[in-house]
Amino acid sequence: MSKKIQFFDTTLRDGEQTIGVNFSIEEKVAIAKQLENWGVDVIEAGFPVASKGDFEAVSAVAKAVKKAQVTGLARARKGDIDACVEATKDAANKQIHVFIATSPIHRHDKLNMNKEQVIDAITDSVSYAHQFFDIVEFSPEDATRTEPDFLVESIQAAIDAGATVINIPDTVGYTNPEEFAKLFDNLRENIPMFDEITFSVHCHDDLGMAVANSLQSIKSGATRIEGTINGIGERAGNAALEEVAAAMYVRKDYYDATNNIDMSETKKTSDMISHFSEMPVPHNKAVVGANAFAHESGIHQDGMLKNPQTYEILTPEVVGANKTTLPLGKLSGSHAVMQKLNQMGYKVDREDMKRIFPRFKNVADNTAIVSEAQLREIMKKVNEVIA
Ligand code: KIV
Ligand code: ZN
């Protein structure tokens, strides 16, 4: 049987850590409702102890969301956990997300704590959080740069203290799919309760591998993937959840896993985040970019007209985007130009194209995309010559 992958969205927390992004409470509520329509299982609404605004936003999202679990983020400290308890008190479904860094560089240079102190902090904070939440997620921050033995020890301490979800953050986007798989093999070998725990991953994109690492984790035993819409987030951002969803959709044969995502809501969700974050989506962005379903070269356009599957593994309809386009430029072929002219109402066949196409090429050589107005002008000139 296929396994089920939960989607954990942190657009409102890690996503908001993007430089220049500051969602209002109203925007956060609107985003949370759209994330719920899209089908995410968990919404990380903020870091309640961080500011009054963050606290109020988590509280507002907790009240507005009906199906998804709402979570707040907490450092391994009672005050942070208390703030999460209070902010999520009205949520229909909730969990908490507690973290502390475990890697040597973070222990020594950031926290000034030794291994024993980190383990004590995990035990104290997770067991404290467990008094208020049935679902406690624990993250060993910078897990991928943590000594493998100490990572196991930290995770085991969290499980012993009541954590039911263990998230593996690739905090600085350092790992790669092969190495990530080995990290999971080590956890499976050394954590006796591996199969009873929900393993989650949280990958950053510093080396452009956040989505690839997240997808690898499905193969390695993770059943929850964390990320953001459009991949927004700290530095180079987080794993783009719409890309993870699309890969799972297109490559069902490979990942053999299901999720609750409604693919047809994907473009709408992406547009909303782009609008509220004031971050335009790059045209060539996978799945939701303006060019993701546009084909310019003649060979590609000819293939698309014969069978769209020659160059499209995902159709725009699936993600709720506008239809495929074949913009006409200097690389376009006669087949696509003929099709466009016929769509515009001209009756032209291959024979006619012998006269039309050279004129099209002249215009296309000096412009990025040939517009309908330019095509009409070309046809006027051709018809004048015939007359
Ligand atoms: O990147 C990270 O390590 C985080 C943790 C808080 C999970 O965002
Ligand atoms: Zn992060």
Side-chain angles (χ1 to χ4, degrees):
M1 209 180 71
S2 303
K3 64 177 173 174
K4 185 88 172 244
I5 304 299
Q6 298 174 13
F7 274 55
F8 175 120
D9 183 279
T10 182
T11 304
L12 300 179
R13 199 277 297 170
D14 223 337
E16 208 194 24
Q17 289 176 217
T18 309
I19 291 161
V21 174
N22 191 354
F23 299 123
S24 68
I25 295 189
E26 293 69 33
E27 287 168 347
K28 285 193 173 181
V29 169
I31 291 170
K33 287 185 173 166
Q34 180 54 28
L35 288 171
E36 195 167 45
N37 288 341
W38 191 51
V40 307
D41 303 278
V42 189
I43 297 173
E44 186 159 65
F47 192 2
V49 84
S51 70
K52 189 167 164 282
D54 241 40
F55 180 92
E56 284 168 4
V58 176
S59 219
V61 168
K63 288 186 186 116
V65 164
K66 300 287 171 252
K67 286 201 315 260
Q69 280 172 35
V70 175
T71 189
L73 181 67
R75 286 166 300 182
R77 297 182 187 182
K78 282 194 175 161
D80 288 32
I81 295 167
D82 291 339
C84 281
V85 173
E86 192 54 27
T88 58
K89 72 175 188 310
D90 294 318
N93 299 298
K94 60 184 154 186
Q95 64 142 73
I96 188 168
H97 182 186
V98 179
F99 78 100
I100 188 167
T102 51
S103 65
I105 187 166
H106 281 242
R107 290 194 316 262
H108 303 149
D109 297 346
K110 186 182 83 174
L111 299 174
N112 195 20
M113 287 167 90
N114 61 30
K115 286 183 175 175
E116 205 185 325
Q117 289 168 317
V118 170
I119 297 292
D120 287 347
I122 295 171
T123 305
D124 293 348
S125 59
V126 172
S127 54
Y128 183 66
H130 191 42
Q131 294 175 29
F132 307 99
F133 293 91
D134 293 336
I135 306 174
V136 179
E137 170 169 339
F138 171 71
S139 288
E141 188 191 5
D142 205 16
T144 52
R145 291 194 299 168
T146 299
E147 306 91 325
D149 291 356
F150 188 60
L151 185 61
V152 168
E153 196 182 333
S154 304
I155 291 172
Q156 192 57 58
I159 295 172
D160 292 343
T164 52
V165 181
I166 298 294
N167 178 44
I168 307 295
D170 183 25
T171 303
V172 289
Y174 179 73
T175 199
N176 59 58
E178 204 178 339
E179 199 176 72
F180 213 26
K182 285 190 188 135
L183 183 153
F184 267 88
D185 287 346
N186 186 46
L187 297 184
R188 188 185 289 282
E189 264 168 43
N190 292 293
I191 307 274
M193 283 177 68
F194 186 93
D195 290 325
E196 283 117 272
I197 295 293
T198 298
F199 274 93
S200 174
V201 295
H202 174 111
C203 299
H204 279 269
D205 208 30
D206 300 66
L207 297 177
M209 286 188 279
V211 170
N213 289 332
S214 304
L215 289 165
Q216 171 55 48
S217 77
I218 298 178
K219 289 296 217 186
S220 295
T223 49
R224 176 180 283 188
I225 293 182
E226 303 195 3
T228 60
I229 301 297
N230 298 340
I232 66 169
E234 190 83 45
R235 305 182 310 280
N238 291 60
L241 284 182
E242 69 282 2
E243 294 180 19
V244 174
M248 287 181 69
Y249 177 88
V250 174
R251 296 305 310 274
K252 279 188 208 85
D253 61 318
Y254 184 73
Y255 294 108
D256 189 23
T258 61
N259 58 49
N260 288 328
I261 297 300
D262 176 353
M263 290 299 288
S264 68
E265 290 288 317
T266 303
K267 182 70 167 72
K268 186 174 168 192
T269 313
S270 162
D271 286 348
M272 181 185 265
I273 302 304
S274 170
H275 177 63
F276 289 149
S277 64
E278 296 179 22
M279 290 178 73
V281 171
H283 284 191
N284 65 336
K285 161 90 174 57
V287 184
V288 289
N291 291 352
F293 303 103
H295 308 261
E296 190 190 319
S297 100
I299 295 169
H300 289 215
Q301 291 181 339
D302 183 52
M304 283 296 293
L305 291 168
K306 288 172 175 157
N307 177 353
Q309 285 177 17
T310 50
Y311 288 104
E312 264 182 9
I313 54 170
L314 180 69
T315 66
E317 291 77 17
V318 167
V319 297
N322 290 335
K323 283 193 176 337
T324 293
T325 56
L326 303 179
L328 300 177
K330 66 176 180 194
L331 298 176
S332 297
S334 165
H335 190 173
V337 178
M338 182 176 85
Q339 197 235 23
K340 176 72 183 171
L341 289 171
N342 281 323
Q343 266 173 11
M344 287 169 66
Y346 297 98
K347 297 266 172 290
V348 291
D349 58 23
R350 286 184 187 279
E351 200 47 41
D352 302 322
M353 287 310 292
K354 287 185 186 155
R355 279 173 287 111
I356 298 168
F357 196 57
R359 285 179 184 271
F360 168 84
K361 279 284 189 190
N362 281 342
V363 175
D365 253 342
N366 299 304
T367 187
I369 297 295
V370 178
S371 66
E372 289 196 0
Q374 286 171 307
L375 286 173
R376 268 187 227 102
E377 197 54 33
I378 292 169
M379 290 306 286
K380 208 166 126 201
K381 295 242 169 69
V382 170
N383 290 334
E384 273 167 12
V385 172
I386 295 167

